[in-house]
């Protein structure tokens, strides 16, 4: 009996060895080549700093799922998606852009995830304050810079503000839309340096006022400029989120984190108006 047992055990050796090798392989740490492909996130340029912090926090709980974020004017990113570019998550500074992708069947339903107020950067030692900023804006001598409408929602929001001012100051829209210098927020050009920032334009004395998002103004550390929140009837920016059809489950998990209180707190810390925090 002992001989037959030894023979049976020897016949099982190849199978046992294979099982042992499989167990070792499963227990071994995954190599870089075994990692999941990065989630492709296309996000508005105004979200870059906040989303970098948000993704770092999310990755601390999902270390095996990298995220590749590309930032740029949200309207331009939307056009790239419409032209067939692959993505997993789209985060726009305009909810309407995400809704347009959904209407075309290029994304799942659009979701509002944050607001952003509009601010003006002005010279730190200048006379512009909250109480006189509209008068300064309407002053023909004021040199004003804005983002680029259509390519970047920041420009669209500025133009909407001009339209609203027209109700109280007839003719304001025609004058302001004509005088505004579209100095940033355009699609990047190959082999061309990026345009100067709003604060650089003011520091160089090329403009007196630059309109943009308050989140960016809050992050500005240039002592030569300061920010002034645009008063009513200035619109609030509506930020929209959408997932690509067939996006991996990790994309949904990232989107849920953006909408969660933890994600919303990170957005609030970076100057956004969070919509998903508990009532105090």
């Amino acid at each position: 009996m002992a001989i037959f047992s030894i023979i049976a055990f020897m016949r099982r050796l190849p199978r046992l060895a294979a099982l042992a090798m499989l167990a070792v392989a499963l227990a071994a740490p995954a190599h870089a080549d075994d990692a999941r492909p990065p989630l492709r996130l296309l996000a508005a340029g105004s979200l870059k700093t906040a989303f970098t912090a948000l993704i770092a926090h999310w990755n601390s709980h999902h270390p095996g799922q990298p995220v590749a974020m590309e930032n740029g004017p949200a309207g331009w990113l939307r056009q790239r998606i419409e032209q067939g570019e692959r993505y997993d998550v789209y985060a726009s500074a305009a909810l309407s852009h995400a809704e347009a992708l959904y209407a075309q069947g290029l994304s799942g339903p659009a979701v509002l995830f944050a607001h952003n107020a509009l601010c003006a950067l002005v010279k730190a030692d200048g006379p512009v304050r909250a109480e006189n900023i509209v008068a300064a804006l309407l002053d023909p001598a004021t040199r004003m810079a804005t983002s680029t409408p259509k390519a970047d929602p920041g420009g669209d929001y500025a133009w909407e503000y001009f339209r609203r001012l027209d109700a109280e100051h007839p003719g304001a829209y025609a004058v302001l839309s004509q005088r505004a210098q579209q100095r940033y927020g355009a699609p990047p050009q190959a082999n061309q340096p990026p345009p100067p920032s709003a604060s650089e334009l003011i520091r160089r004395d090329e403009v007196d006022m630059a309109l943009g998002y308050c989140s960016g103004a809050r992050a500005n550390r240039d002592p030569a400029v300061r920010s002034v929140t645009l008063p009513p009837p200035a619109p609030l920016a509506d930020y929209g989120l959408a997932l690509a059809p067939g996006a991996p489950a990790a994309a949904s998990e990232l989107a849920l984190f953006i909408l969660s209180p933890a994600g919303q707190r990170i957005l609030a810390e970076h100057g956004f108006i969070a919509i998903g925090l508990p009532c105090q």
Side-chain angles (χ1 to χ4, degrees):
M1 293 294 293
I3 294 176
F4 288 113
S5 298
I6 293 172
I7 293 173
F9 176 76
M10 292 179 67
R11 287 175 176 171
R12 291 168 55 202
L13 274 176
R15 192 192 316 171
L16 292 172
L19 289 172
M21 291 176 64
L22 178 60
V24 170
L26 290 174
H31 295 288
D33 294 340
D34 300 326
R36 299 179 189 177
L39 290 178
R40 181 154 173 73
L41 168 61
L42 300 181
S46 55
L47 289 166
K48 184 175 182 179
T49 302
F51 266 28
T52 297
L54 192 148
I55 291 168
H57 186 100
W58 186 76
N59 273 148
S60 68
H61 298 277
H62 301 79
Q65 178 58 71
V67 179
M69 178 172 62
E70 181 176 350
N71 300 97
W76 173 64
L77 295 176
R78 167 192 160 185
Q79 291 174 1
R80 286 167 47 180
I81 293 171
E82 291 171 335
Q83 293 166 4
E85 183 160 340
R86 189 191 73 78
Y87 77 105
D88 295 309
V89 182
Y90 173 60
S92 173
L95 177 63
S96 60
H97 285 325
E99 290 177 322
L101 293 181
Y102 177 58
Q104 298 173 74
L106 298 176
S107 79
V111 178
L112 177 71
F113 72 92
H115 294 298
N116 208 343
L118 299 185
C119 278
L121 285 181
V122 297
K123 298 175 182 178
D125 57 356
V128 178
R129 299 290 187 273
E131 58 271 17
N132 66 358
I133 189 169
V134 173
L137 191 65
L138 295 172
D139 186 340
T142 300
R143 299 166 298 170
M144 174 182 52
T146 72
S147 192
T148 306
K150 296 184 180 179
D152 181 35
D156 298 323
Y157 291 124
W159 256 244
E160 175 60 24
Y161 186 43
F162 300 160
R163 290 187 186 93
R164 295 184 181 188
L165 284 176
D166 200 80
E168 300 176 7
H169 307 274
Y173 174 76
V175 171
L176 293 174
S177 60
Q178 188 70 28
R179 180 154 46 88
Q181 303 176 35
Q182 301 173 31
R183 300 294 300 271
Y184 36 87
Q189 301 296 318
N191 302 318
Q192 293 294 323
S197 67
S199 61
E200 287 175 326
L201 291 172
I202 294 173
R203 194 183 334 108
R204 296 177 186 178
D205 196 32
E206 295 183 26
V207 299
D208 304 303
M209 181 184 300
L211 305 188
Y213 299 119
C214 289
S215 63
R218 175 176 172 175
N220 183 74
R221 296 292 182 268
D222 191 335
V225 302
R226 55 183 171 78
S227 65
V228 180
T229 302
L230 295 182
L236 282 179
D238 297 322
Y239 279 64
L241 189 69
L243 303 184
S252 299
E253 295 174 9
L254 177 59
L256 284 175
F257 179 70
I258 294 170
L259 294 166
S260 73
Q264 293 285 297
R265 288 189 190 96
I266 294 173
L267 289 169
E269 289 167 1
H270 287 82
F272 291 85
I273 303 170
I275 64 166
L277 290 177
C279 295
Q280 299 298 322

